[in-house]
């Protein structure tokens, strides 16, 4: 593809650079060793720039979502480590599996804590309350994910530095998931207070964050709505641990009312241009091509006569959008061949410019619908929220399908109707509403599961939802991998860097088999 010809130019530049360096004087080498792109200190806003992009690209769009997509059967692992994860052959229980994601998310936590401290103590950054609020929101976000996937894990002693910049704690203690979630909620509350009804401004000497924030360009009002959306998500996450579920469900509805009113406001990274920057799922698919179309997911679409059944997949030759199931040749969950180009793939996995969703409008509407269903007596309002969620989810997937077709030069099937509002409305009235009338909560959760399939990085949230509702005895989403009876990953295993370096992590990890037997705290476990 012509957009990748620039790689050759980059290689040529690297060779010229290597030649030039070989003739440098010792003084020049001393200057080179002082990398201007990696200063020892920087204003908080530049830390938050990296924090926002890394949170979206690495934490949301990276290995956590990729592995979750296999475990939750949005995709089937057909190659390398994802095949081994699919067939539960070592990969879910080895400490190397998630190590890259482990390193990345703890780097995010460290940068968030540094940025917050600078805004509170550094004379140049004091007064930059929007930057501080963003850092607190992103700290809460990364903290929630790290404990959602790993359970009890280091947090309070991570990212704490000595005056010389070295870590204060070389072997940080393991905190309970309950304690980490208390910090998550506190950071969100702090951020909401800082953002002051959306009127906050950065006034520090180092300058406002503005365009250095690639998510909302420093818009305090937008960040305030995102904070409330996350409050709704995490309050629902902890519902099974609530001492007053009715009160928490009412609180969720309050948070929703203060959050997004349309997809235009959702928290997402929308900087991919299909060339220098690409959607992380596309980047993975282009380099690895280790995921196949999921038989389990397609069966669920077909059961509902769902128009996503064929439109979201292509044939094994990757040249056109599928028009029937036989053309897709989906991979069987738990028992695929380890073979590329044997099975069809999801078209969204080839979408190069689709934004990564940190929390979407459709997720917020699904949360609202679930809260209304659980409160009871609010069926009409729940149905309306669910309808809005389905329409928005269709539009989100429709964008990534069109993006995938264009990115890979695939032909669109003649019988493709698209997934616009008219198609979504008809699907809802004909297929979703009867099932909703029969069991409102079940259909809400099934539709949410289906909506989280795609290129937006939402499979991790589907994995979290599945564990949450399953622990409450709500078997709403049926998974088909036969290995799940004894080897469904209840959590992810710690990263090898700290299994080797931290005695507490090493002892907790053991042989890694605990990932199959020990749910996290909010899903009914002890840690």
């Amino acid at each position: 593809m012509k957009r990748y010809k620039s790689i050759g130019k980059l290689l040529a530049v690297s060779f010229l650079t290597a030649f030039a360096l070989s003739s440098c004087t010792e003084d020049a080498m001393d200057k080179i060793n002082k990398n201007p792109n990696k200063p020892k200190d920087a204003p908080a806003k530049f830390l938050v720039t990296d924090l926002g992009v890394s949170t979206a690209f690495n934490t949301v769009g990276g290995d956590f979502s990729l592995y979750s997509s296999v475990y939750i059967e949005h995709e089937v692992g057909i190659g390398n480590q994802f095949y081994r994860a699919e067939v539960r052959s070592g990969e879910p229980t080895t400490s190397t599996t998630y190590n890259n994601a482990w390193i990345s998310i703890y780097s995010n936590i460290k940068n968030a804590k540094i940025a917050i401290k600078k805004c509170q103590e550094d004379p140049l950054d004091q007064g930059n309350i929007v930057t501080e609020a963003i850092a607190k929101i992103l700290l809460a976000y990364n903290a929630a994910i790290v404990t959602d996937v790993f359970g009890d894990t280091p947090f309070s002693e991570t990212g704490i530095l000595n005056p010389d910049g070295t870590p204060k704690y070389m072997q940080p203690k393991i905190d309970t998931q309950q304690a980490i979630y208390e910090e998550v909620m506190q950071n969100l509350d702090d951020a909401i207070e800082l953002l002051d009804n959306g009127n906050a401004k950065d006034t520090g000497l180092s300058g406002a964050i503005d365009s250095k924030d690639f998510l909302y360009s420093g818009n305090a009002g937008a960040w305030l709505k995102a904070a409330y959306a996350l409050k709704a998500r995490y309050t629902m996450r902890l519902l099974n641990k609530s001492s007053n579920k009715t009160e928490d469900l009412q609180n969720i509805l309050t948070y929703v009312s203060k959050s997004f009113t349309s997809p235009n406001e959702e928290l997402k990274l929308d900087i991919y241009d299909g060339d220098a920057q690409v959607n992380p799922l596309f980047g993975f698919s282009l380099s690895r091509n280790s995921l196949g179309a999921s038989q389990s997911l397609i069966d669920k679409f077909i059961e509902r006569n769902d128009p996503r059944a064929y439109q979201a997949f292509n044939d094994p030759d990757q040249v056109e959008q599928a028009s029937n199931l036989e053309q897709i040749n989906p991979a069987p969950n738990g028992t695929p061949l380890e073979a590329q180009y044997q099975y069809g793939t999801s078209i969204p996995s080839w979408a190069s410019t689709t934004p990564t969703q940190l929390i979407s409008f459709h997720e917020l509407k699904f949360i609202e619908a679930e809260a209304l269903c659980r409160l009871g007596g609010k069926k009409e309002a729940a149905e309306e929220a669910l309808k809005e969620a389905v329409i928005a989810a269709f539009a989100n997937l429709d964008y990534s399908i069109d993006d995938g077709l264009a990115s890979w030069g695939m032909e669109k099937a003649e019988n493709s109707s698209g997934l616009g509002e008219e198609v979504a409305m008809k699907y809802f009235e004909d297929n979703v509403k009867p099932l909703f009338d029969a069991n409102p909560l079940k259909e809400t959760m099934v539709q949410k599961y289906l909506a989280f399939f795609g290129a937006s990085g939402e499979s991790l949230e589907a994995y979290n939802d599945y564990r949450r509702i399953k622990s409450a005895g709500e078997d709403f989403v049926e998974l088909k991998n036969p290995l799940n009876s004894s080897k469904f990953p209840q959590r992810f295993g710690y990263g090898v860097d700290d299994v080797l370096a931290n005695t507490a992590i090493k002892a907790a990890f053991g042989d890694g088999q605990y990932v199959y037997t020990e749910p996290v705290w909010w899903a009914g476990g002890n840690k």
Side-chain angles (χ1 to χ4, degrees), residues 481-514:
N481 188 327
L483 299 167
N484 285 340
S485 59
S486 60
K487 288 188 174 182
F488 178 78
Q490 302 289 344
R491 61 172 73 219
F492 290 9
Y494 301 118
V496 67
D497 278 19
D498 283 85
V499 170
L500 295 176
N502 188 327
T503 55
I505 294 291
K506 181 178 181 180
F509 183 82
D511 62 3
Q513 295 297 316
Y514 73 102

Side-chain angles (χ1 to χ4, degrees), residues 248-525:
D248 279 339
L249 289 167
Q250 293 287 3
N251 286 339
I252 288 169
L253 295 178
T254 298
Y255 302 146
V256 169
S257 72
K258 295 180 178 182
S259 188
F260 311 140
T261 58
S262 78
N264 294 329
E265 298 178 330
E266 56 200 5
L267 180 59
K268 60 191 176 187
L269 183 66
D270 189 11
I271 64 171
Y272 308 129
D273 59 8
D275 188 1
Q277 297 91 26
V278 296
N279 175 285
L281 179 58
F282 173 85
F284 173 81
S285 299
L286 187 67
S287 62
R288 301 290 185 89
N289 194 18
S290 294
L291 299 174
S294 168
Q295 178 75 65
S296 168
L297 177 68
I298 292 172
D299 285 347
K300 291 178 179 62
F301 283 142
I302 291 174
E303 287 169 8
R304 284 168 168 72
N305 195 27
D306 193 313
R308 291 171 287 191
Y310 307 124
Q311 295 190 53
F313 304 94
N314 63 290
D315 70 14
D317 293 328
Q318 303 175 1
V319 293
E320 62 182 358
Q321 186 180 37
S323 57
N324 56 67
L325 183 61
E326 290 72 23
Q327 192 177 8
I328 301 172
N329 188 28
N333 303 88
T335 58
L337 299 173
E338 186 176 10
Q340 296 173 320
Y341 310 110
Q342 174 74 26
Y343 306 105
T345 59
S346 65
I347 293 174
S349 65
W350 302 106
S352 62
T353 67
T354 295
T356 298
Q357 295 277 8
L358 281 78
I359 183 165
S360 62
F361 174 71
H362 54 266
E363 178 181 348
L364 191 70
K365 300 306 290 187
F366 280 120
I367 292 171
E368 180 184 7
E370 180 183 351
L372 290 165
C373 287
R374 292 189 183 280
L375 283 168
K378 301 177 182 294
K379 188 176 179 182
E380 289 185 5
E383 180 182 327
E384 185 60 31
L386 180 60
K387 183 188 297 184
E388 286 188 72
V390 170
I391 291 171
F394 266 50
N396 187 66
L397 184 62
D398 195 42
Y399 179 94
S400 65
I401 291 173
D402 287 347
D403 181 17
L405 290 170
S407 295
W408 207 244
M410 288 184 279
E411 295 291 331
K412 196 164 189 172
E414 291 184 2
N415 63 344
S416 176
S417 60
L419 299 174
E421 184 172 349
E422 184 177 345
V423 173
M425 285 284 290
K426 186 177 189 311
Y427 165 69
F428 185 88
E429 294 298 329
D430 293 349
N431 305 102
V432 177
K433 190 177 185 312
L435 295 170
F436 176 84
D437 289 340
N439 191 331
L441 182 58
K442 178 179 180 179
E443 189 58 19
T444 295
M445 299 313 298
V446 170
Q447 287 299 324
K448 189 179 182 186
Y449 164 85
L450 296 176
F452 282 168
F453 155 73
S456 299
E458 296 181 290
S459 288
L460 175 57
E461 283 307 304
Y463 174 65
N464 290 333
D465 274 341
Y466 178 81
R467 291 182 294 161
R468 172 172 64 87
I469 63 176
K470 188 78 170 177
S471 70
E474 297 168 341
D475 295 323
F476 295 150
V477 176
E478 182 184 2
L479 302 181
K480 298 295 182 67
N481 188 327
L483 299 167
N484 285 340
S485 59
S486 60
K487 288 188 174 182
F488 178 78
Q490 302 289 344
R491 61 172 73 219
F492 290 9
Y494 301 118
V496 67
D497 278 19
D498 283 85
V499 170
L500 295 176
N502 188 327
T503 55
I505 294 291
K506 181 178 181 180
F509 183 82
D511 62 3
Q513 295 297 316
Y514 73 102
V515 303
Y516 294 135
T517 59
E518 298 183 14
V520 300
W521 168 73
W522 54 249

Side-chain angles (χ1 to χ4, degrees), residues 19-328:
F19 175 78
L21 288 177
S22 68
S23 61
C24 286
T25 65
E26 185 174 345
D27 288 341
M29 289 301 293
D30 289 339
K31 292 179 180 179
I32 288 171
N33 286 335
K34 296 177 181 178
N35 187 348
N37 295 318
K38 291 187 177 181
K40 292 182 178 180
D41 195 19
K45 62 185 176 184
F46 294 113
L47 292 173
V48 172
T49 300
D50 181 70
L51 174 61
V53 173
S54 179
T55 297
F57 191 87
N58 297 320
T59 300
V60 179
D63 282 353
F64 293 141
S65 182
L66 288 169
Y67 280 101
S68 293
S69 73
V70 171
Y71 301 147
I72 207 66
E73 300 180 7
H74 282 164
E75 305 281 356
V76 173
I78 58 171
N80 302 308
Q81 68 268 42
F82 288 90
Y83 171 77
R84 296 191 294 274
E86 180 71 42
V87 300
R88 313 295 196 258
S89 178
E91 210 62 36
T93 60
T94 59
S95 59
T96 57
T97 304
Y98 315 107
N99 194 56
N100 289 339
W102 172 273
I103 293 169
S104 178
I105 197 167
Y106 274 108
S107 177
N108 292 343
I109 289 170
K110 179 188 72 173
N111 285 338
K113 289 185 177 182
I114 293 172
I116 292 167
K117 186 175 182 180
K118 287 179 73 65
C119 288
Q120 294 173 347
E121 300 177 7
D122 190 326
L124 292 176
D125 276 316
Q126 285 178 333
N128 284 339
I129 56 178
V130 176
T131 301
E132 182 182 350
I134 296 170
K136 281 183 171 288
I137 291 169
L138 293 175
L139 176 60
Y141 195 99
N142 283 276
I145 288 183
V146 80
T147 194
D148 286 342
V149 296
F150 297 116
D152 291 0
T153 194
F155 179 71
S156 62
E157 294 183 349
T158 61
I160 309 298
L161 304 182
N162 293 314
D164 64 357
T166 59
K168 183 175 181 180
Y169 302 98
M170 296 303 294
Q171 294 194 359
K173 69 176 184 177
I174 294 176
D175 296 298
T176 66
Q177 185 173 73
Q178 182 176 4
I180 295 171
Y181 256 105
E182 289 170 0
E183 290 289 324
V184 168
M185 294 305 202
Q186 186 61 59
N187 274 288
L188 290 175
D189 287 340
D190 291 348
I192 288 169
E193 184 175 353
L194 286 167
L195 292 169
D196 187 30
N197 296 319
N199 297 317
K201 302 290 184 184
D202 275 341
T203 59
L205 294 175
S206 61
I209 188 167
D210 294 337
S211 63
K212 303 299 186 296
D213 166 23
F214 289 161
L215 298 171
Y216 282 135
S217 296
N219 185 315
W223 276 108
L224 183 62
K225 289 188 175 186
Y228 278 118
L230 293 172
K231 285 277 286 185
R233 173 196 278 179
Y234 299 137
T235 303
M236 187 66 82
R237 176 91 81 250
L238 302 181
L239 191 65
N240 293 339
K241 292 296 182 180
S242 173
S243 59
N244 190 332
K245 291 186 178 181
T246 298
E247 181 180 347
D248 279 339
L249 289 167
Q250 293 287 3
N251 286 339
I252 288 169
L253 295 178
T254 298
Y255 302 146
V256 169
S257 72
K258 295 180 178 182
S259 188
F260 311 140
T261 58
S262 78
N264 294 329
E265 298 178 330
E266 56 200 5
L267 180 59
K268 60 191 176 187
L269 183 66
D270 189 11
I271 64 171
Y272 308 129
D273 59 8
D275 188 1
Q277 297 91 26
V278 296
N279 175 285
L281 179 58
F282 173 85
F284 173 81
S285 299
L286 187 67
S287 62
R288 301 290 185 89
N289 194 18
S290 294
L291 299 174
S294 168
Q295 178 75 65
S296 168
L297 177 68
I298 292 172
D299 285 347
K300 291 178 179 62
F301 283 142
I302 291 174
E303 287 169 8
R304 284 168 168 72
N305 195 27
D306 193 313
R308 291 171 287 191
Y310 307 124
Q311 295 190 53
F313 304 94
N314 63 290
D315 70 14
D317 293 328
Q318 303 175 1
V319 293
E320 62 182 358
Q321 186 180 37
S323 57
N324 56 67
L325 183 61
E326 290 72 23
Q327 192 177 8
I328 301 172

